[in-house]
């Protein structure tokens, strides 16, 4: 998975994320973005065709970043529990440092903006599934994770719990400590999915 993005485009994406955080989707306009960046509107249009293009690029960059970070962070000599922990700790740390990506994924009205945006959000989910499913399969094959539910169901439970944690943090306006709460969530998931012999 590759995403080609210039430094200037990344600056615009990050500024757009800050506006999303402060003002929501309705506040993200090319006019507001140009003002935030102290650019002319035409300078923004030299890098992106539209507001939709900016949002899609932001989400694409998140998917690319996740794929790259997970690939580097998860080591083949880790146990399935360690891999799962590393994967989610990596994501919690990234979001703590870049909360506007959480806003982009969980913004009210964003999914109604366009089908292309929905498809890009699905791409983010598929990146997470690509890395999570082998961990779950390995854990079940080694009898570390429960086999009483299918790998697909287990993956949905884990991903759903993560999404709920991120959503709660978002609606609390990022006031809670996502690293501590995230670690507690990871331990709770492991307690639930590990076999009783563990």
């Amino acid at each position: 998975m590759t995403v080609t993005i210039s430094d200037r485009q990344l600056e615009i994406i990050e500024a757009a994320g800050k506006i999303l955080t402060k003002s929501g989707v309705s506040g993200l306009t090319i006019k507001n973005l140009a003002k935030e960046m102290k650019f002319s509107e035409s300078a923004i249009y030299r890098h992106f065709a539209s507001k939709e293009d900016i949002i899609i690029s932001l989400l694409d960059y998140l998917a690319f970043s996740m794929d790259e970070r997970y690939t580097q962070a998860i080591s083949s000599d880790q146990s399935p529990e360690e891999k799962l922990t590393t994967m989610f700790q990596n994501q919690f740390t990234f979001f703590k440092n870049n909360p506007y990506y959480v806003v982009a994924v969980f913004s009210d009205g964003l999914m109604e903006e366009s089908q292309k945006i929905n498809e890009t959000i699905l791409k983010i989910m598929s990146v997470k599934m690509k890395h999570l499913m082998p961990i779950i399969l390995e854990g079940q094959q080694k009898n570390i994770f429960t086999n009483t539910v299918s790998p697909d169901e287990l993956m949905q439970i884990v991903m759903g719990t993560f999404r709920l944690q991120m959503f709660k943090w978002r609606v609390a306006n990022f006031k809670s400590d996502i690293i501590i709460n995230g670690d507690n969530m990871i331990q709770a998931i492991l307690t639930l999915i590990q076999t009783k012999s563990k």
Side-chain angles (χ1 to χ4, degrees):
M1 180 179 189
T2 57
V3 168
T4 305
I5 192 162
S6 70
D7 289 345
R8 181 64 80 200
Q9 285 175 315
L10 188 55
E11 281 177 42
I12 294 169
I13 284 171
E14 288 174 347
K18 286 168 189 164
I19 292 170
L20 275 174
T21 306
K22 283 190 292 191
S23 312
V25 176
S26 60
L28 179 57
T29 63
I30 298 297
K31 183 177 182 176
N32 287 345
L33 189 53
K35 193 173 164 185
E36 172 80 21
M37 297 202 68
K38 300 175 177 56
F39 276 9
S40 65
E41 289 179 45
S42 61
I44 303 286
Y45 283 117
R46 276 200 292 276
H47 297 281
F48 292 103
S50 64
K51 168 181 164 176
E52 179 193 55
D53 194 22
I54 292 166
I55 293 168
I56 288 169
S57 294
L58 188 151
L59 295 168
D60 261 337
Y61 186 74
L62 175 59
F64 167 75
S65 166
M66 281 170 57
D67 194 31
E68 201 171 53
R69 282 183 291 106
Y70 291 164
T71 301
Q72 289 172 1
I74 299 166
S75 162
S76 59
D77 59 2
Q78 289 177 308
S79 69
E81 301 103 315
E82 288 168 334
K83 288 177 184 174
L84 190 139
T85 300
T86 298
M87 180 176 173
F88 283 101
Q89 281 177 338
N90 182 287
Q91 196 67 339
F92 287 131
T93 301
F94 176 81
F95 280 141
K96 182 176 182 174
N97 295 328
N98 306 279
Y100 46 87
Y101 285 107
V102 177
V103 177
V105 175
F106 290 104
S107 275
D108 289 338
L110 189 61
M111 290 187 187
E112 289 77 39
E113 283 286 307
S114 78
Q115 186 55 38
K116 276 187 178 175
I117 290 174
N118 284 348
E119 287 164 8
T120 313
I121 291 171
L122 284 173
K123 190 190 296 182
I124 293 168
M125 291 173 68
S126 71
V127 167
K128 186 161 280 179
M129 288 159 58
K130 168 186 151 183
H131 291 275
L132 183 57
M133 183 55 94
I135 296 171
I136 287 172
L137 287 170
E138 182 189 358
Q140 287 188 322
Q141 285 159 4
K142 292 181 174 177
N143 203 31
I144 293 167
F145 297 158
T146 181
N147 282 286
T148 55
V149 293
S150 72
D152 276 335
E153 290 165 334
L154 203 52
M155 184 173 65
Q156 285 179 45
I157 290 165
V158 173
M159 285 182 64
T161 306
F162 173 81
R163 281 186 66 80
L164 178 60
Q165 187 73 51
M166 299 315 298
F167 181 72
K168 281 167 58 183
W169 188 51
R170 163 75 182 104
V171 296
N173 209 21
F174 313 112
K175 298 258 191 290
S176 59
D177 190 325
I178 192 61
I179 303 294
I180 292 171
N181 291 342
D183 281 343
N184 291 340
M185 184 210 86
I186 293 163
Q187 291 314 308
I189 285 175
L190 287 173
T191 300
L192 287 170
I193 71 174
Q194 283 172 332
T195 55
K196 299 304 176 212
S197 61
K198 280 294 292 173

